[in-house]
Amino acid sequence: MKKTRSSTIGYPRIGEKREWKEALEAFWSKSITEEDLLRKMEALRLNDLQKQKNLGIDLIPVGDFSFYDHVLDTAVMFGLIPRRFRSDETPLLQTYFDIARGNKEAVASEMTKWFNTNYHYIVPEFDQNTAPVLKENRPLTYFLEAKNKLGITGKPVLLGPVTLLKLSKGYKQEEFGPLLKTLVPLYQQVLKELDEAGAEWVQLDEPVLSTDLTKTEIGHVKDVYEQLHSPAANLKLLVQTYFESVSDYEAIISLPVDGIGLDFVHDDGANLDALKKYGFPADKTLAAGVVNGRNVWGSDLEEKWGLLEAIRGIVSDNRLIVQPSCSLLHVPVTVKTEDHLEPELKGALAFADQKIDEITLLTKGINEGRPSIEDEIKTREETLQIFRQSPSRTKPHVQNEVSEWEGKEPARDFSFTARQALHQDIFKLPVLPTTTIGSLPQTTEIRQARSRYRHGEWSTAAYDAFIQKKVAEWIEVQEWIGLDVLVHGEFERNDMVEYFGEKLDGFAFTKYGWVQSYGSRSVKPPIIYGDVALPEPMTTKDITYAQSLTDKPVKGMLTGPVTIYKWSFPREDIRAFEVTKQLALALQNEISHLEKNGIGMIQVDEPALREGLPLKDAKKQQYLQEAIYAFKLATCTVKKETQVHTHMCYSEFGEIIDSIKQLDADVISIETARSHGELIADFEKASYDKGIGLGVYDIHSPRVPSTEEMETSIRRALQVLHPQQFWVNPDCGLKTRGIDETVPSLKNMVEATQRVREALGSVGAVPVTTRILSNP
């Protein structure tokens, strides 16, 4: 019998070639029936379970599979359905998708980032009439499916009650404890039914335990698990944490549960230090996350063996589980299909399946002795050495450029006040300028054209002509809609990060390296493997062409250094700050090319800046300082006549307002419609004096918002913002939306803006005082 077991925390749900996405979108478009969807999803689910079994995993997770999002799964399972979606007549699956995507009558629930990752979850909502109830025992359904169809006694996975409630909205802080108590009986029922069905282990995910918690909150955690613990049950409870070290190690290891899962990769050594200092209970199992579940680099097996040896000095082998640091949801499925990659690079990579191989190999070494895996450790070390010494990774001129900025603080030469007056004189924009964030609908026709070009079916000339045709069409459409500041549409771009990576040195690309971002939306992050440099202009041709077609300003569209880093799989041999500085200097050069070609507005998007904020307060300030530096390094050399824009997603603005001010961008646009305008309240507590666009409609939902709805959003924002600083725009880019959704939505947005402009004129024109408009 094995002493130490292997496990995974979760597995990618999208399939090797995005079969999951294909099934979902076919169902939403009514190309397949619900029965078809359920059958396809079951096949994917069973395939993933069988694969993990074949790869040698002992404790295989079940219930980590989802039709959209695991947080939404848990909320719907416990009846946390927003009032606007409650209907006895609507099937539960339709309600589930309506919450995520909205419908004609109701806006979708808020969506935001899952801790500091690029995965998005749907925010559960509470209101005064919310009465949690167990609508379905999803973990039990998936457990029985695996047991009956594959003979697998899986490890049911369920989002823990403390994390579920902490990620929810709609209640006051003092209601946290009482609401938690209403959830406990439901969890008890789920666990009881799993115990009766023969489950051995249940994984309760509590990543919130890796954030800074108060003593009161830790007290709630203890209370919950004392109630969930049942001495009479055969079921073993594993409380799983990840993404950081736990906030109160002594309290967490003292919980009345059978196992604790700790992240030994992203903890900066803190979990190991605590393990050495305080030990580990002899009656508990430690699930040790030693393989990086968030990046694609293969493990240094010698290093991982040393880490496990340190852990084994404290925890006995029969109380040890070897696993990844977090769910493998955050990495692609397999490297095996990436035949186009250079051999030295491919040999250094490990996607989900290869990480499972590492886990089972390390487990074998513990159970059978180090000699049983010695050859594999030696081979891996040789492979990594070949990659590390590859000349293609190092560019001395890039390192010299970075070093030249050492000790210097990048800054623009003119103050915002001086620039603001100059920009108004140059661009002569009306009050409440209207624009979009950047991308326009990427139709099937556009995606097919890009595919034909990539596969050599179209020449460069034919493809360029097609792109210019689309740019011209949409410049005309935007002028017809009445937008004040236009965009070229980004039709040539497959993704806002991948596109730039393809143009920069130091990046590699996969064919099937997809990971889920939100819903059916998948991204294929590039891999940063070496020093980053700009060999030639990236965006000038298409944006300059767009500007030649109109007298209105067209924004140059760039992705910022922090976002390119965060939305790539970055190298790990140098600090993140060094990589973002390399990226910033490459963008600085690109901005110079745009200016030389007459582009006067340049948007440097940083939607990932907020998501990258560390989970621990003690680490946040350094991160923000480095992020600000990188943005300013990219933009500090622009002319005073150039207006710099930026865009951020899901920003808790109040928390980072001082940092956003320090970016010194002339205009910033921030998502707020998806969060139902709650972000606006931050401006009641903190001032902001630069241009700002708070998104007036949610682009992640297919519904078309009415003119009245957006007018209300604009008026609400003007209660706390001056009309001279407020821009009107959607929440985010429009590439995922259809033309029949985009055009009427933007037309309604412009009409709503015109109505508010007329109202402003009727009370004395600009300038006016803030709070001049009340909600209608």
Side-chain angles (χ1 to χ4, degrees), residues 36-88:
D36 293 331
L37 175 68
L38 296 177
R39 187 179 65 254
K40 288 174 180 289
M41 291 302 197
E42 180 184 293
L44 276 171
R45 204 160 50 236
L46 295 177
N47 177 75
D48 292 345
L49 295 175
Q50 186 64 51
K51 182 192 288 188
Q52 291 178 80
K53 180 181 180 180
N54 294 344
L55 290 171
I57 290 295
D58 299 314
L59 296 174
I60 300 171
V62 295
D64 56 317
F65 188 88
S66 175
F67 280 56
Y68 199 97
D69 161 51
H70 53 269
V71 180
L72 177 61
D73 294 345
T74 314
V76 171
M77 183 176 89
F78 290 135
L80 303 181
I81 297 173
R83 182 186 305 175
R84 62 191 179 280
F85 296 112
R86 292 174 199 161
S87 170
D88 294 333

Side-chain angles (χ1 to χ4, degrees), residues 534-555:
L534 176 71
E536 59 184 10
M538 299 182 284
T539 65
T540 304
K541 179 179 67 176
D542 295 312
I543 294 171
T544 303
Y545 173 71
Q547 185 63 83
S548 72
L549 301 174
T550 179
D551 293 330
K552 291 185 174 182
V554 175
K555 290 188 289 187

Side-chain angles (χ1 to χ4, degrees), residues 74-81 86-88 90 92 95 131-138 186 190:
T74 314
V76 171
M77 183 176 89
F78 290 135
L80 303 181
I81 297 173
R86 292 174 199 161
S87 170
D88 294 333
T90 306
L92 193 59
T95 298
V133 60
L134 183 60
K135 284 189 165 290
E136 55 175 354
N137 190 336
R138 291 173 59 90
L186 308 184
V190 169

Side-chain angles (χ1 to χ4, degrees), residues 443-682:
T443 61
T444 300
E445 180 191 18
I446 292 169
R447 291 194 298 270
Q448 289 176 344
R450 194 157 52 230
S451 176
R452 292 188 182 107
Y453 176 58
R454 285 178 175 271
H455 288 89
E457 299 172 23
W458 277 14
S459 67
T460 299
Y463 180 67
D464 286 348
F466 173 82
I467 294 297
Q468 289 196 350
K469 177 174 177 289
K470 289 300 167 188
V471 170
E473 287 175 1
W474 276 92
I475 289 293
E476 185 176 348
V477 169
Q478 291 175 84
E479 289 190 317
W480 174 78
I481 288 171
L483 293 168
D484 301 304
V485 174
L486 313 186
V487 296
H488 79 292
E490 304 180 19
F491 304 113
E492 78 286 6
R493 305 182 188 183
N494 44 8
D495 176 81
M496 67 180 293
V497 171
E498 186 178 7
Y499 173 81
F500 287 95
E502 288 176 338
K503 305 288 186 181
L504 295 166
D505 291 337
F507 284 78
F509 302 89
T510 61
K511 287 184 178 178
Y512 305 107
W514 300 98
V515 293
Q516 185 189 1
S517 178
Y518 67 86
S520 66
R521 167 81 170 138
S522 300
V523 293
K524 192 151 55 71
I527 299 168
I528 306 177
Y529 70 90
D531 290 335
V532 177
L534 176 71
E536 59 184 10
M538 299 182 284
T539 65
T540 304
K541 179 179 67 176
D542 295 312
I543 294 171
T544 303
Y545 173 71
Q547 185 63 83
S548 72
L549 301 174
T550 179
D551 293 330
K552 291 185 174 182
V554 175
K555 290 188 289 187
M557 304 301 303
L558 304 175
T559 303
V562 173
T563 296
I564 292 178
Y565 178 87
K566 290 293 180 182
W567 289 2
S568 299
F569 290 121
R571 59 191 295 187
E572 296 177 336
D573 58 317
I574 62 176
R575 287 190 62 227
F577 187 34
E578 296 305 308
V579 182
T580 54
K581 285 190 286 187
Q582 292 182 4
L583 287 162
L585 288 172
L587 292 170
Q588 185 186 101
N589 291 335
E590 178 68 12
I591 289 171
S592 176
H593 288 301
L594 287 169
E595 287 186 313
K596 289 175 182 176
N597 281 273
I599 304 303
M601 285 189 185
I602 299 174
Q603 183 167 308
V604 182
D605 286 342
E606 284 291 20
L609 191 147
R610 170 61 181 81
E611 89 181 30
L613 203 63
L615 302 184
K616 303 289 190 187
D617 288 341
K619 299 178 181 180
K620 292 179 180 179
Q621 192 56 41
Q622 180 179 347
Y623 164 80
L624 288 170
Q625 288 175 348
E626 293 177 351
I628 293 164
Y629 184 98
F631 183 89
K632 292 173 71 174
L633 183 59
T635 59
C636 66
T637 59
V638 300
K639 303 173 184 176
K640 63 180 182 295
E641 293 87 358
T642 300
Q643 188 176 73
V644 174
H645 291 235
T646 190
H647 169 67
M648 293 184 184
C649 295
Y650 315 109
S651 297
E652 293 179 18
F653 195 89
E655 184 179 5
I656 61 171
I657 186 170
D658 289 336
S659 299
I660 293 177
K661 287 179 182 178
Q662 292 176 53
L663 294 176
D664 200 24
D666 298 296
V667 181
I668 180 173
S669 57
I670 302 181
E671 174 276 332
T672 188
R674 183 76 194 218
S675 60
H676 305 162
E678 294 167 8
L679 183 67
I680 295 171
D682 286 329

Side-chain angles (χ1 to χ4, degrees), residues 436 438-442 697 699 730 732-738 742 746:
T436 65
S439 60
L440 293 170
Q442 299 249 335
Y697 82 88
I699 64 88
C732 202
L734 295 161
K735 66 179 293 183
T736 62
R737 299 273 58 90
T742 297
L746 291 177

Side-chain angles (χ1 to χ4, degrees), residues 143 147 153-154 156 194-202 234-236:
F143 174 78
K147 186 176 182 180
T153 302
L194 285 169
D195 183 34
E196 292 170 349
E200 298 172 5
W201 281 92
V202 169
N234 295 315
L235 193 66
K236 295 179 180 179

Side-chain angles (χ1 to χ4, degrees), residues 319-362:
R319 293 284 182 180
L320 184 62
I321 296 172
V322 180
Q323 62 181 25
S325 62
C326 62
S327 171
L328 297 175
L329 169 73
H330 305 287
V331 294
V333 175
T334 182
V335 175
K336 289 182 179 179
T337 52
E338 305 298 334
D339 296 331
H340 67 292
L341 293 175
E342 292 296 326
E344 65 267 22
L345 174 59
K346 184 176 179 180
L349 298 175
F351 295 174
D353 290 351
Q354 289 70 46
K355 290 179 185 297
I356 290 176
D357 285 336
E358 294 176 351
I359 290 163
T360 56
L361 183 72
L362 291 167

